[in-house]
Amino acid sequence: MSSAPAEEIPAEEIDLSEANHIIDKYLTLPGNLMPVLQGIQDSYGFVPRPTIDLVAERLNVYPSQIYGVLTFYSQFHMKPRGRYIIRVCVGTACHVQGAERIVDTFFGRLGIGHAETSADLRYTFEKVACLGACGMAPLAMVNDDTFGKMTVQKVDEIVETYNQRPM
Amino acid sequence: MVNLTIDDKQVTVPRDATIYDAAKACGVKIPILCHDKKLHPFGGCRMCLVEVEQMKGRLIPSCTTPATEGMIVKTMTDEIVKARKLVLELLLLKHPIDCPVCDAAGDCDLQNLTYEYKVNSNRFTDEKFNHAIDYDNPLIERDMNRCIHCGKCARICDEIVAFGAYTFINRGIEAKMGTEFDGPLNCEFCGSCVSVCPVGALNSRPFKFKARWWALTKTKSVCSYCGTGCQLTLGSKDGKVLTTIYDENQGFHNGQLCTRGRFGYQFINSDKRLTSPLIRKNGKLQPASWEEALEMVTSRLRAGKSDPASVAALATARLTNEELFLFEKLFRGTVGTDNIDHSAGFAHEALTVGAKASFGVAASPSVIADVQKANLLLVVKTDAYETHPVIGFEINLGVKRKGIDLRIVSDKKGKLSRLPGAKTLVHTPGAETALFNALCRSVIDQGLAVEDAAGLAELKKALTDATPEKAAAVCGLSAAEITALAKDFASAEKALIILPIGLGYPGHGSALASAAANLAILTGKIGKEGCGLLIMGEKNNSQGAVDLGIYPKSTGLSAQAIIEACALGNVKTLFVAGENPVVSYPNRAKVEKALDQVEFMVVSDLFLTETAQLADVVLPACSFAEKSGTFTSLGRRVQMVRQAIKPLALAKSDFEILNAINSALGGGSFANQGAVFAEIAASVPAYQGLTQAGLGDEGAVLPVAIAAKLVPVAGEAQPTFAGKLALVTGSALYHNGTMSRFGEGPMYVCPDGYAELCVADAALLKIAEGDLVTVTSGAGSVSLAAKVGKRVPQGVVFAPYHFGEGSINTITDGSAVTWVTVGKK
Ligand code: SF4
Ligand code: SF4
Ligand code: SF4
Ligand code: FES
Ligand code: FES
């Protein structure tokens, strides 16, 4: 598996026509910044930086303001996201049960760190706070599937399983 | 109006006042952290809590709550004190409390309130902030560990500066005041955010570790850069000006300054300042005594008295009124020559010829306060923001807050074009006068002209050919665009034209001023508030230089004729007070040659400028911080300049220099600069009755008696040259004249000249941002770094003029447009 973090993918390769199309659609709507950014996120899977500059220019809003909105709402991402989002809980209960070892093992297997995405866009890895199932600590999730009582071995199983899944 | 009671005091305030405003009106001080009178209310810090009898049960933020009839307000109860202490404790929780090394100490609202409310312990504990400090730019340090999240920086940068560098980023405990992509600050560096930051989170780097705030001597004065005439407070210590201090109560601009005013003061104590008179001996300038230097100058001028036509003198419009008056007295009076001028001659003609013909006075009929009172602003060139940034702030405020309809006619787009609703007509370079003529013609054609305007018949006749249809081709606009603008201007209740002038704008001369005046007169927009024409002189005392007659009045030579007469040997003695013709007058090679040839040239200046280097005698002069006197702003406001520090080294003010020479030549002498002002008040009609003491902090606006008259002027089509680009010159935001080159601030941000091209032309010429390019005209060629952007249209190159190295006047000849070729070096 290649391990170049996704942000190294050159930005110029992004086709802005879809973003332009979305902006056209909302151009005259008051309060159009949110729907435009949502549209871009839906269409590109994240909000690529060149689209931020484009939105700033075309809607005549400050780039700083867009950045503020994007960092305020957790629904927005400014880097491409993997098809499979692996979350490992590092909340108190999970921490006590050795969550860090699970995290480190994932790092090793996937070749990506916290909040990073693999270059093939298969995985995004995130450490998260309490997922609300402390009884099953240490806990991991892949998209909507939950894996309790995690072990190093289970990490290998998860990676193997999801390597086979379709993109 | 509403009546209410605050701390047992009765007060009556306007309907839109808040409780905070009402308290202020009756002298009750409520502590604030996030509130600023210039900005939209935010209501975030809860420092200003008060008790309102009618709203019992909770404390009310006074800065956002409207005052209503019959309210009974208490601003200081035990409960309020408790609440304010809590606010402070929470703010101090994650704050580093590193006051001993913070430059804001003494001027910090958080520190002062902590002291006032005796918060000497904290009931809470938490980790301190651990944000990286932004040291990336040379002017503003951002230490977000000290930030109290008042949001003032973001609001001022948006509401007044309209740059929008800041925003709150992230959420929850991660939240902080940040920039686009959380990167380093990269903005206009006006320093407005630094000035309103209540703590030491935003600092002026040039002032860092220079002095404690309380050890500074504070002197109220006036900015010595552009004609806006912003008031400022100089902070000095041990004979050095170390900073400018923000005072929200100063001037029409409430203490706002641009990057030049805020960060450009370092020229005052620059180590490049001249420290002694210099005399050319064996072809080299050598230090000399004042006695020797003045003796040489006076004997030369004494001899010149018998042939006054062989003497000429140029002054900069940076001198005080008192100095300019003496200058005029010495040369026109004592020596008897009319060969005196300033600003290359052409850069004041909009006033001395244009306004004089159209309004009967060599001044703008309008004042700065008219900007925000207009319904429609018609700005000639987006550069108006760059030339006069604080008037730019007035435009921003007017457009953003009051919804003023902003129209711009310009040879390129600029920052003003991005204001909400702004409409920019980008016309062919040099077509301004033709465009205004067509606007006038269209106003007449649409039946929107006032019928009794003086000179209407003549104007109508002169405009026979100036139809929008014909002008369209000349201007590169459509007839419909011209007609629509004419209609909108005429139909606006109050409309004001803004016209910057100066050395970088050779096309903004008398013809354009009169053409613009015609539009205002024709549409009845003269003599009313929020209406008219504001001609914006370039230098701090451009208006004063005009008022005091520093230009040829009868048979004398204009600045450029003086240069030619120097070359021909007709002018044998040239006195230059602070002008730098080598860099700022058109056609550098010609100027250099002429100044080289003139028999005897004296230059008084702060620096050994490119012009001073050619002189026979150089006299070290004082900056505005080392002398007192008055400047007159472009809004005709006469304001006091007050001495903050002693003259540097052997420097003398131009007042002292001119006074000594004049008295040696038998022209009399003045006891001090104040005595000169008294003489000005006695002999210059507009200044009648003024006294320096009477000017106070506010200054005084000179009256004008307008006799408006339509003055036909020719607006010709500019010739075009296939394969060439149109070079237009102008001002860079960070500079003004050639003096800002000695201000560290402006030079950090914009150290060199550049040639700005559009993306398409750059691609065609295979030029990339930063490439060294050669720009060549008939007069010569210069190398400049290329800037590629979206501001200039295709076929146009823009270059600022301030710089000595690769100065753009090497290739310009004083025409509105210079045709050039641009090639990669
Ligand atoms: S210096 Fe001026 S432009 Fe820059 S962030 Fe501060 S207020 Fe905005
Ligand atoms: S940096 Fe200063 S002005 Fe800006 S939010 Fe923080 S404390 Fe307020
Ligand atoms: S340069 Fe002009 S606009 Fe800037 S602070 Fe000085 S007077 Fe004001
Ligand atoms: S701490 Fe991991 S699920 Fe609660
Ligand atoms: S000053 Fe009123 S809430 Fe901050």
Side-chain angles (χ1 to χ4, degrees):
Chain A
M1 162 184 286
S2 110
S3 64
E7 56 264 39
E8 284 171 20
I9 300 169
E12 300 84 83
E13 286 175 18
I14 283 164
D15 176 4
L16 291 176
S17 55
E18 187 56 26
N20 269 315
H21 184 71
I22 294 162
I23 298 170
D24 289 339
K25 197 160 103 195
Y26 294 106
L27 202 55
T28 54
L29 188 84
N32 50 10
L33 184 57
M34 280 302 275
V36 164
L37 293 177
Q38 272 156 353
I40 289 174
Q41 163 118 339
D42 287 347
S43 150
Y44 292 81
F46 69 112
V47 184
R49 183 156 174 164
T51 65
I52 299 177
D53 297 330
L54 182 76
V55 173
E57 171 91 21
R58 291 205 52 203
L59 299 189
N60 200 8
V61 289
Y62 307 126
S64 66
Q65 197 184 335
I66 302 179
Y67 186 76
V69 169
L70 293 176
T71 56
F72 185 83
Y73 295 99
S74 58
Q75 55 169 299
F76 291 118
H77 301 285
M78 277 175 281
K79 289 174 190 164
R81 305 271 291 165
R83 169 75 178 80
Y84 300 101
I85 315 287
I86 301 181
R87 296 189 178 89
V88 175
C89 175
V90 291
T92 317
C94 294
H95 174 75
V96 172
Q97 296 292 327
E100 278 310 318
R101 258 189 71 207
I102 307 300
V103 168
D104 289 342
T105 315
F106 269 117
F107 282 179
R109 297 291 187 275
L110 301 176
I112 51 173
H114 168 62
E116 288 181 1
T117 298
S118 60
D120 61 0
L121 299 186
R122 181 172 288 272
Y123 295 113
T124 292
F125 183 83
E126 282 169 357
K127 296 198 276 185
V128 292
C130 181
L131 287 166
C134 309
M136 290 162 70
L139 195 79
M141 285 184 79
V142 182
N143 292 357
D144 293 332
D145 300 335
T146 306
F147 301 88
K149 305 269 182 227
M150 284 294 295
T151 59
V152 169
Q153 202 193 332
K154 272 191 168 173
V155 171
D156 286 332
E157 286 168 22
I158 290 176
V159 172
E160 246 157 65
T161 316
Y162 282 88
N163 275 348
Q164 307 309 318
R165 295 275 176 97
M167 274 297 284
Chain B
M1 300 299 269
V2 292
N3 306 293
L4 63 164
T5 312
I6 298 180
D7 289 350
D8 304 324
K9 289 188 191 161
Q10 303 283 342
V11 59
T12 307
V13 289
R15 217 151 250 296
D16 59 354
T18 60
I19 299 178
Y20 175 80
D21 298 332
K24 198 167 167 190
C26 64
V28 173
K29 197 172 161 265
I30 298 176
I32 49 171
L33 283 172
C34 71
H35 184 66
D36 189 300
K37 65 172 182 182
K38 300 192 294 294
L39 304 173
H40 285 310
F42 181 60
C45 74
R46 307 193 67 75
M47 194 63 211
C48 65
L49 294 174
V50 295
E51 241 174 63
V52 178
E53 179 131 331
Q54 290 84 343
M55 305 163 109
K56 266 275 183 319
R58 64 194 171 101
L59 297 175
I60 308 294
S62 62
C63 73
T64 50
T65 312
T68 54
E69 187 64 36
M71 257 184 179
I72 301 174
V73 180
K74 289 251 175 306
T75 72
M76 195 66 100
T77 64
D78 288 350
E79 204 190 333
I80 292 171
V81 171
K82 231 168 90 188
R84 288 187 188 149
K85 275 190 159 174
L86 177 65
V87 167
L88 290 166
E89 277 177 288
L90 292 174
L91 287 176
L92 292 167
L93 198 52
K94 293 173 87 62
H95 183 282
I97 321 191
D98 54 348
C99 311
V101 288
C102 179
D103 280 299
D107 186 30
C108 170
D109 293 348
L110 181 64
Q111 191 189 55
N112 293 345
L113 288 168
T114 302
Y115 187 85
E116 190 181 329
Y117 285 84
K118 306 184 188 71
V119 184
N120 53 3
S121 64
N122 207 324
R123 284 168 287 166
F124 314 98
T125 51
D126 199 347
E127 269 173 48
K128 296 294 182 185
F129 285 126
N130 188 18
H131 299 299
I133 299 174
D134 175 5
Y135 290 117
D136 243 61
N137 72 80
L139 298 175
I140 298 175
E141 175 184 299
R142 296 190 311 124
D143 182 348
M144 289 306 111
N145 301 303
R146 294 179 183 150
C147 172
I148 59 164
H149 297 190
C150 72
K152 273 164 54 170
C153 53
R155 280 180 285 148
I156 202 156
C157 192
D158 165 22
E159 293 174 32
I160 298 185
V161 186
F163 187 89
Y166 298 124
T167 185
F168 281 113
I169 61 172
N170 303 327
R171 241 170 333 154
I173 52 160
E174 301 267 295
K176 65 168 181 178
M177 184 49 77
T179 54
E180 175 188 346
F181 303 107
D182 204 10
L185 189 62
N186 184 7
C187 64
E188 285 178 30
F189 297 109
C190 65
S192 299
C193 53
V194 178
S195 58
V196 294
C197 180
V199 293
L202 299 175
N203 292 300
S204 154
R205 287 193 71 185
F207 179 56
K208 200 165 162 72
F209 295 140
K210 287 287 189 321
R212 306 291 8 198
W213 190 81
W214 52 83
L216 292 170
T217 305
K218 289 131 190 131
T219 311
K220 288 185 177 181
S221 196
V222 181
C223 178
S224 72
Y225 280 108
C226 85
T228 305
C230 297
Q231 296 187 10
L232 45 72
T233 302
L234 295 172
S236 61
K237 187 173 169 271
D238 304 330
K240 278 195 173 138
V241 171
L242 297 176
T243 189
T244 48
I245 294 170
Y246 173 59
D247 174 355
E248 64 167 9
N249 297 318
Q250 264 188 304
F252 73 89
H253 48 103
N254 297 308
Q256 285 290 113
L257 299 173
C258 76
T259 186
R260 313 182 299 230
R262 174 87 50 213
F263 292 116
Y265 57 83
Q266 301 96 333
F267 74 92
I268 299 167
N269 290 98
S270 163
D271 50 18
K272 298 201 189 91
R273 283 278 303 269
L274 288 164
T275 53
S276 140
L278 305 171
I279 293 179
R280 190 170 296 280
K281 288 178 187 156
N282 308 322
K284 269 175 106 176
L285 285 169
Q286 320 260 3
S289 70
W290 270 104
E291 289 71 27
E292 198 187 344
L294 283 180
E295 176 45 38
M296 273 187 86
V297 177
T298 43
S299 63
R300 187 75 207 193
L301 289 176
R302 195 174 290 121
K305 277 170 85 169
S306 56
D307 181 15
S310 73
V311 179
L314 299 168
T316 171
R318 295 212 186 282
L319 303 185
T320 62
N321 285 323
E322 294 71 12
E323 291 167 338
L324 291 168
F325 181 86
L326 263 178
F327 179 91
E328 202 256 3
K329 204 170 159 58
L330 168 61
F331 291 101
R332 190 171 279 139
T334 310
V335 175
T337 178
D338 192 34
N339 300 336
I340 65 176
D341 208 348
H342 73 281
S343 294
F346 68 78
H348 60 68
E349 282 180 356
L351 289 163
T352 52
V353 182
K356 181 91 191 154
S358 296
F359 303 121
V361 286
S364 296
S366 310
V367 293
I368 297 173
D370 287 316
V371 174
Q372 286 208 51
K373 291 183 185 147
N375 303 113
L376 183 147
L377 288 174
L378 176 55
V379 176
V380 186
K381 281 210 176 55
T382 53
D383 301 46
Y385 189 85
E386 279 88 347
T387 56
H388 299 80
V390 171
I391 291 183
F393 293 167
E394 294 291 296
I395 299 175
N396 291 344
L397 278 167
V399 173
K400 287 168 74 105
R401 254 183 221 170
K402 304 189 172 152
I404 293 176
D405 188 356
L406 176 61
R407 306 303 179 92
I408 303 157
V409 290
S410 183
D411 48 23
K412 62 181 169 305
K413 289 199 172 180
K415 180 172 172 188
L416 291 177
S417 314
R418 290 194 67 90
L419 286 176
K423 294 195 186 75
T424 309
L425 293 184
V426 177
H427 58 73
T428 315
E432 291 86 352
T433 307
L435 176 55
F436 271 94
N437 279 347
L439 289 169
C440 289
R441 167 69 192 252
S442 178
V443 165
I444 297 170
D445 288 351
Q446 296 183 63
L448 299 167
V450 293
E451 269 149 35
D452 53 355
L456 184 55
E458 292 85 337
L459 185 73
K460 277 186 179 166
K461 213 164 100 210
L463 294 180
T464 319
D465 267 346
T467 59
E469 289 70 25
K470 283 193 181 150
V474 175
C475 303
L477 298 167
S478 74
E481 285 171 315
I482 299 173
T483 316
L485 178 57
K487 177 160 182 254
D488 293 344
F489 187 91
S491 354
E493 191 196 335
K494 293 181 277 178
L496 174 69
I497 304 169
I498 294 183
L499 173 67
I501 59 173
L503 291 164
Y505 302 92
H508 291 200
S510 59
L512 181 56
S514 283
N518 288 344
L519 180 64
I521 298 166
L522 209 50
T523 54
K525 303 287 192 285
I526 290 293
K528 288 190 281 187
E529 205 173 62
C531 283
L533 172 61
L534 190 63
I535 299 172
M536 306 204 296
E538 181 180 24
K539 304 271 165 67
N540 53 304
N541 204 19
S542 288
Q543 185 62 47
V546 169
D547 294 343
L548 295 166
I550 312 300
Y551 55 97
K553 288 276 175 77
S554 55
T555 56
L557 304 173
S558 70
Q560 293 193 66
I562 290 173
I563 298 293
E564 265 152 36
C566 287
L568 294 172
N570 297 339
V571 163
K572 297 191 170 63
T573 302
L574 179 63
F575 192 104
V576 181
E579 282 275 87
N580 189 4
V582 171
V583 176
S584 63
Y585 287 21
N587 203 337
R588 180 168 183 161
K590 194 173 113 190
V591 175
E592 275 175 326
K593 196 155 155 258
L595 299 185
D596 223 24
Q597 273 168 7
V598 68
E599 252 180 53
F600 185 78
M601 175 165 72
V602 198
V603 174
S604 73
D605 206 302
L606 274 58
F607 299 98
L608 192 63
T609 59
E610 293 78 357
T611 301
Q613 286 166 26
L614 303 175
D616 298 286
V617 175
V618 179
L619 306 173
C622 287
S623 73
F624 79 114
E626 295 145 70
K627 63 192 181 191
S628 294
T630 55
F631 293 157
T632 305
S633 79
L634 63 90
R636 291 184 267 113
R637 189 179 289 273
V638 187
Q639 305 186 105
M640 244 352 252
V641 178
R642 297 182 184 86
Q643 182 173 3
I645 55 169
K646 288 206 302 277
L648 251 64
L650 294 179
K652 285 186 196 290
S653 69
D654 286 277
F655 162 76
E656 284 177 278
I657 297 170
L658 296 164
N659 201 29
I661 299 172
N662 195 32
S663 108
L665 295 184
S669 92
F670 288 88
N672 51 46
Q673 61 81 25
V676 184
F677 191 82
E679 186 69 28
I680 294 174
S683 57
V684 182
Y687 290 68
Q688 206 162 26
L690 295 182
T691 61
Q692 281 191 348
L695 294 178
D697 282 347
E698 291 285 289
V701 176
L702 300 175
V704 279
I706 301 293
K709 184 170 157 251
L710 296 165
V711 178
V713 287
E716 278 135 29
Q718 291 285 327
T720 52
F721 298 91
K724 296 212 172 179
L725 297 170
L727 170 73
V728 291
T729 59
S731 252
L733 178 60
Y734 308 101
H735 290 278
N736 176 262
T738 60
M739 187 177 74
S740 50
R741 292 179 298 154
F742 298 97
E744 277 171 52
M747 286 309 274
Y748 271 133
V749 193
C750 182
D752 296 302
Y754 53 84
E756 190 174 344
L757 297 155
C758 76
V759 180
D761 283 335
L764 223 60
L765 298 163
K766 301 201 166 47
I767 292 167
E769 173 89 19
D771 281 353
L772 208 55
V773 295
T774 308
V775 186
T776 310
S777 76
S781 66
V782 278
S783 309
L784 293 165
K787 208 167 150 164
V788 180
K790 293 183 180 159
R791 299 197 324 159
V792 292
Q794 208 165 356
V796 176
V797 202
F798 170 79
Y801 85 89
H802 326 276
F803 305 93
E805 195 79 2
S807 65
I808 203 68
N809 70 335
T810 312
I811 62 170
T812 58
D813 60 1
S815 31
V817 180
T818 305
W819 292 93
V820 296
T821 54
V822 180
K824 198 162 160 177
K825 212 176 166 173

